[in-house]
Amino acid sequence: MPTPTAATGTTTVSSATAPASGAASTNATAATATKQSPNKLIIALACVLAVIVVAGIALFATWKAELWGGKTLPDPASLVQPAAAKDGKSATIKAKDVTDALKLKGIDAKTEKVFSGKESGAFLGYAGAKQGERVSAGTTVTVQESAGPGVPKDTLGKKPEQVVETLADMNVPVHYKKVYVSDTKKKPEGTIVATYPEAGTAVKDSEKDKGIYVGVATKGDSAIPVDVLGQDIDSVKSKLEGEGHTVTVKQKFSSKDYVGKVAGSEPAPGSSLDSSDDVTLYEGVDAKDTQSVMGQQYDYGGTKYSTVRNNAGAIAGTYCKSDGSCLTLSKSTNAFSKSEDGSGSAGGNGFMVLNNQEPSNSVDLLGLTNICQDISCSVIKPGSGISENTMPLKNHLITKDWGMFELYAGQGMKNCGSTVIGSGGSAGPGPSCDSGMTYEMKDFLVYFPAGSDLKSLEDSGYFDADALAAAKKQKAVDTNRPFILLRDRSQYKETSVSASGDGVNPFVPTSEYANGGKSALVGMKPAPSDATAYYLSEQGGDLDWDSLPDAEVKGADKAAKSSNDSGDSSDKADKADTTLFKNVAGQYRFFSTGNGSAFIDMTVKDDGTFTGAADSADLSTGEPTYKAPRVKYPFHGKFSSITKNNAGGYDLQCDATSLTWEKEYGDTSGISPCGKWHWYPAGTPWSSMASGDKVQYALRFGSQLLGDSDSYQSNLLYDEDAERSAFYPYTPQ
C-alpha cells in the first residue's frame, strides 16, 4: 500500500509493484521496432541482391567479352568470309586464315597437317576441340590443315579393314593388293605390310588418278617375298637358283641396314614368279662404294683410267621429304640413254629424269658430267695436251672421297633462248644466236649415299652461308639413309646469265678451261636438314603394284561408293568427264616411216586405257621391206584425263608412269615420251589444232599426206610431246 513521506506528504509507488514511466516508454519503442524490422531487412537484402545481380551481369559481360576465363574457339566461317568461286560454290576456308585469325584474337595457335580428301591447305578442324569450346589462357590450339590425300603414318601393321574408311575419304582410288611374304610370324597374313605412297607421305598431284596402293600380306611359295629386303643376298640367290631361276646380282645404294644385303629385286619384292623367270637381286651399298658403282676402269696404252657412268639402276627410286612430298628419279627412255651400265662414253649411260618428265633435248637429261668423263682428272691424257689443273671434272664432287655426287641437266652448255647449243649442231643450232647466248639454271641435285661425309662438304663452302645457317637450326639429316638434295631455283635471284666471252657457267661445277681451275658454282640452296632432304623410300616404292593380284578387303567397295556419293558436285563432274573417252575410243595407226618399214598400232578403250605395238621390219637380214621379218614391241598405258577443246575435239593427258614397253624401245616418235595428246575430228583446219604444223610434218614423213591441204580427211590423235606423231583410224587387216 502507499507510504506517506514526512517532508512533502506526497505518496510514492514502490518499484517492486509499479513500472516507472521511462521503462514503459522503452518497452513501447522496442515493440514498435519489433514490428518495423522485417521491412528494413527486406530492403537491405534487396539492396544486397541488387548489388550481386549488377556484379553478376558485369562479371558475365566481361566473361562474355573474354576479358577473363579464357577464350572461345570460333566458327571459322565467322572469321573468314569465303569468296564465291567461279563455279558458284564457296571458296575453301584455308587453315592459314584460321590460324592468323586466332592469333589476332589472342589465342596461341599452331598448324598440324593431316591427310584428307580436301585440297591441300584447307581447314579441317581443331585437334581435340570443337568450335564454341572455351580454352584457358595460355593454351595453344592446334589447327588441322589438309595435306591433300596420303597414307597416314600408322597404317603399317594394321588390318586393312581398320583403314578402309580413312583411305576412302582421301578422294582418290584405293587399290588393295596381295603382297607375298615368307615370314608370317613377323608379318602376319592379312595385315598391311607395304603401301604406295609410303606410309606418312602424300599422293603426288601427278598420281591422283593412280591413287593409293595397299599391300596385304599373303603367304606365297613361288614368289619373291616382300620381306626379302634385308636378307642375306647369297642365301636368297641360292634359294632362287635352287628353284630353277637364273639370278644376277647388281649394286644399289641403300640405307645402312641393307648394306651387303638384299636391297631390292626385279621382279619387285612381293611379286609372284613363274618357273622361267630370271631374277635380278640388288645388293645394298653405301658411300664407300660410290666411285666403283658410279665409275668404270679402263686401260689406255698401259695406263689405267676411271670414267664416270650414269648407273641408273643404282640410284633410281622414289624419294620423299619428311613433309610427305616426293620425287622420282628414273632412267630416261630416250634412245640416247639405252644402256644402263654405260661404257664411259657420253651416250648410252643410263641418264636420268625427274618425275618421269622427259626433256625435249637429250642434252637436258640428268647426268654426272659435262664434257670430260675422267673421274680423277689427275693425269695428262696421252696426246691431249690438257693439263691436270684445267680438266673440267676437277671440281665435281664425284672426284672427292666424300661419297656424294652431282646430277645436273644441260652438261654446262650454252643456251640460245630455250634451245641448247650443242657441238656440231647435234644438240641445237649452230654458233650464231641473235638473241644472245646464256647459261641457264637447270635441274641440279646432289645425291648422298648412306654414310656420306657431310661435314667435309659443309666445311668446303659448297653451300650458301645463309642456307647452311638455316639448316643448322633444323633437325639434322639422317645420314644412315640415301637422300637427295634438290636445288631450289625459287631461292635464287639470278637464274640466267650471259654466256658471251670466256665466262664460266655458275650453275654447274667448273665446265670450261677458265677461272684458274677453281669452281665458280653458286652456293647450293637449300643446305641439308631433315626438312630439306628427300630420303630413298624402301618400304613400297619399288613394288610393281599393277601386276600384283587384288586382295579382297571387307567393306572396301562399300566405303569407296560411300565416299564417291558424298563427294561435292565438282568431284562428280570430274568423274563424269571420263565418259568422254568413249568418243575417242577406237583403233589407230601411225606410220613412223614413209616406206612402211615401221608403224605403230594403238587401241584406245572407253576407260582411257590403251594398248598396242610398234611394228618394225628387221632390215638387217638384207631382205626388202615387204619380205623382211617383222619385230613387234608391245606396250600398254592409260590417259589420266580428258577435256573438250575449242576446236570440237579433246585434249588428253597421258599418265607417263603407266606407259610400259614389254621390250626395250627407243624411238621418240609416235607415243614417246607420252605427254599431252589431242584428238580432232576429220576436216579440222591445221590452224585450229595445237601444234598443227607438227602433225602435218608427221603425216608427210610417213607418206600419209601429199600435196597442200588445210586439213585432214579423217580423225587425228597425236602426242604433242613426241618427235613425230599422227595416228588416224585404222583397222588392221
Side-chain angles (χ1 to χ4, degrees):
M1 53 181 298
T3 303
T5 39
T8 61
T10 59
T11 302
T12 61
V13 179
S14 169
S15 62
T17 58
S21 60
S25 175
T26 299
N27 291 339
T29 301
T32 302
T34 300
K35 291 179 181 180
Q36 293 176 346
S37 61
N39 292 331
K40 289 184 178 181
L41 182 60
I42 290 172
I43 293 172
L45 289 172
C47 290
V48 172
L49 288 173
V51 171
I52 292 174
V53 170
V54 171
I57 292 173
L59 197 64
F60 177 77
T62 56
W63 180 85
K64 186 73 174 175
E66 299 184 347
L67 298 179
W68 64 278
K71 297 182 183 296
T72 302
L73 292 180
D75 178 354
S78 68
L79 294 173
V80 184
Q81 295 298 324
K86 292 182 180 179
D87 59 3
K89 297 189 304 179
S90 295
T92 302
I93 297 174
K94 298 292 185 180
K96 183 180 183 303
D97 295 332
V98 175
T99 302
D100 292 344
L102 289 174
K103 289 180 178 179
L104 287 175
K105 204 169 186 280
I107 301 175
D108 291 333
K110 66 178 182 179
T111 302
E112 173 188 62
K113 290 192 175 184
V114 178
F115 294 128
S116 81
K118 290 189 176 181
E119 67 180 71
S120 182
F123 172 73
L124 299 178
Y126 301 110
K130 297 179 181 179
Q131 62 187 52
E133 287 188 16
R134 197 88 171 184
V135 295
S136 58
T139 300
T140 299
V141 175
T142 300
V143 173
Q144 292 182 322
E145 175 183 350
S146 175
V151 182
K153 285 184 178 180
D154 60 351
T155 301
L156 295 182
K158 289 184 175 180
K159 292 278 189 180
E161 292 81 6
Q162 294 176 276
V163 302
V164 160
E165 294 290 343
T166 299
L167 296 182
D169 288 341
M170 295 298 168
N171 201 27
V172 295
V174 182
H175 315 275
Y176 295 91
K177 296 287 187 175
K178 292 180 180 179
V179 173
Y180 297 104
V181 299
S182 60
D183 190 342
T184 55
K185 289 184 178 180
K186 291 184 178 179
K187 296 184 182 297
E189 283 194 88
T191 61
I192 299 173
V193 292
T195 65
Y196 183 83
E198 184 175 343
T201 56
V203 177
K204 291 188 291 188
D205 288 342
S206 62
E207 295 186 345
K208 286 184 178 178
D209 289 324
K210 186 176 180 179
I212 294 170
Y213 289 84
V214 179
V216 182
T218 304
K219 180 67 175 176
D221 296 324
S222 181
I224 300 181
V226 72
D227 47 352
V228 73
L229 298 176
Q231 292 185 19
D232 179 75
I233 196 159
D234 292 331
S235 299
V236 175
K237 182 174 182 292
S238 297
K239 180 178 182 298
L240 290 170
E241 288 176 336
E243 296 171 356
H245 302 287
T246 299
V247 181
T248 303
V249 176
K250 294 183 179 180
Q251 293 179 313
K252 179 177 183 177
F253 290 114
S254 72
S255 60
K256 181 180 178 181
D257 291 342
Y258 295 159
V259 171
K261 301 176 182 178
V262 178
S265 67
E266 292 180 14
S271 304
S272 61
L273 285 176
D274 292 331
S275 58
S276 60
D277 287 344
D278 293 341
V279 177
T280 297
L281 294 178
Y282 287 101
E283 179 183 8
V285 294
D286 58 12
K288 68 178 181 298
D289 299 302
T290 292
Q291 293 199 6
S292 62
V293 173
M294 305 308 293
Q296 183 171 327
Q297 294 283 331
Y298 72 98
D299 187 281
Y300 184 86
T303 302
K304 292 189 179 298
Y305 295 94
S306 297
T307 59
V308 297
R309 60 188 180 122
N310 301 300
N311 188 353
I315 56 180
T318 299
Y319 295 78
C320 299
K321 295 173 72 173
S322 57
D323 65 3
S325 58
C326 301
L327 60 81
T328 57
L329 192 60
S330 57
K331 180 188 172 185
S332 169
T333 59
N334 193 294
F336 181 78
S337 189
K338 284 184 179 178
S339 170
E340 180 175 296
D341 293 330
S343 60
S345 60
N349 275 346
F351 283 76
M352 310 297 290
V353 293
L354 278 175
N355 298 324
N356 301 301
Q357 298 299 311
E358 293 280 351
S360 58
N361 194 312
S362 61
V363 174
D364 279 332
L365 293 169
L366 290 171
L368 282 79
T369 68
N370 40 67
I371 299 170
C372 171
Q373 299 287 316
D374 195 303
I375 198 170
S376 63
C377 294
S378 59
V379 296
I380 300 175
K381 286 189 176 181
S384 69
I386 301 173
S387 68
E388 148 183 24
N389 291 332
T390 58
M391 291 300 289
L393 270 181
K394 179 179 176 63
N395 294 302
H396 286 63
L397 292 179
I398 190 70
T399 66
K400 309 290 185 184
D401 59 359
W402 300 338
M404 69 288 293
F405 50 89
E406 298 115 332
L407 289 172
Y408 55 90
Q411 297 186 25
M413 293 183 180
K414 300 175 182 180
N415 268 53
C416 180
S418 60
T419 305
V420 179
I421 298 179
S423 58
S426 61
S432 62
C433 181
D434 295 336
S435 60
M437 293 181 290
T438 60
Y439 287 124
E440 300 295 323
M441 181 180 283
K442 300 184 177 184
D443 287 339
F444 183 99
L445 60 87
V446 182
Y447 191 97
F448 294 80
S452 293
D453 186 355
L454 184 58
K455 185 177 186 305
S456 291
L457 183 62
E458 291 176 340
D459 292 345
S460 71
Y462 190 85
F463 298 102
D464 175 84
D466 291 338
L468 184 59
K472 290 296 185 183
K473 296 178 182 178
Q474 299 173 327
K475 181 181 177 181
V477 69
D478 184 358
T479 57
N480 289 321
R481 302 171 63 188
F483 67 90
I484 287 172
L485 203 62
L486 183 66
R487 183 164 61 190
D488 184 357
R489 280 191 286 265
S490 69
Q491 295 189 30
Y492 293 84
K493 292 182 179 179
E494 193 173 53
T495 58
S496 177
V497 298
S498 172
S500 60
D502 296 326
V504 177
N505 189 339
F507 305 131
V508 299
T510 303
S511 58
E512 297 185 27
Y513 312 139
N515 201 41
K518 295 181 180 178
S519 179
L521 181 65
V522 295
M524 179 70 174
K525 300 180 186 179
S529 73
D530 188 68
T532 60
Y534 288 88
Y535 294 105
L536 174 63
S537 172
E538 295 176 298
Q539 176 254 311
D542 289 337
L543 272 66
D544 187 3
W545 288 100
D546 288 329
S547 70
L548 298 175
D550 292 333
E552 293 186 9
V553 175
K554 185 178 180 181
D557 291 340
K558 182 179 179 181
K561 184 179 185 302
S562 174
S563 176
N564 291 338
D565 291 343
S566 63
D568 61 32
S569 58
S570 65
D571 293 333
K572 293 177 181 177
D574 289 341
K575 290 180 175 60
D577 281 346
T578 60
T579 61
L580 296 176
F581 282 125
K582 70 178 184 297
N583 297 328
V584 301
Q587 293 177 294
Y588 298 85
R589 173 168 286 188
F590 163 64
F591 278 97
S592 50
T593 63
N595 61 3
S597 63
F599 58 84
I600 301 176
D601 284 333
M602 177 176 176
T603 299
V604 180
K605 300 178 182 179
D606 58 11
D607 62 354
T609 60
F610 58 82
T611 59
D615 191 312
S616 299
D618 183 3
L619 301 179
S620 64
T621 61
E623 295 285 344
T625 299
Y626 71 95
K627 284 187 177 181
R630 310 292 300 192
V631 180
K632 290 191 176 184
Y633 302 85
F635 62 83
H636 64 269
K638 70 175 181 179
F639 295 110
S640 59
S641 65
I642 179 171
T643 57
K644 293 182 179 180
N645 57 40
N646 295 327
Y650 303 94
D651 297 329
L652 305 89
Q653 181 60 51
C654 175
D655 178 1
T657 62
S658 72
L659 178 59
T660 303
W661 292 89
E662 294 182 19
K663 296 180 182 179
E664 186 175 351
Y665 185 76
D667 194 351
T668 56
S669 64
I671 65 173
S672 296
C674 202
K676 189 171 185 179
W677 289 61
H678 306 281
W679 182 95
Y680 292 104
T684 302
W686 306 120
S687 58
S688 298
M689 295 182 180
S691 305
D693 54 344
K694 195 172 186 178
V695 185
Q696 292 182 73
Y697 167 69
L699 289 168
R700 293 186 190 280
F701 195 93
S703 299
Q704 303 305 306
L705 182 64
L706 303 175
D708 294 327
S709 169
D710 62 358
S711 64
Y712 197 60
Q713 70 271 19
S714 69
N715 303 339
L716 284 172
L717 175 68
Y718 64 93
D719 180 5
E720 184 179 295
D721 293 333
E723 182 181 341
R724 301 185 307 278
S725 181
F727 289 84
Y728 57 88
Y730 183 90
T731 302
Q733 302 300 317

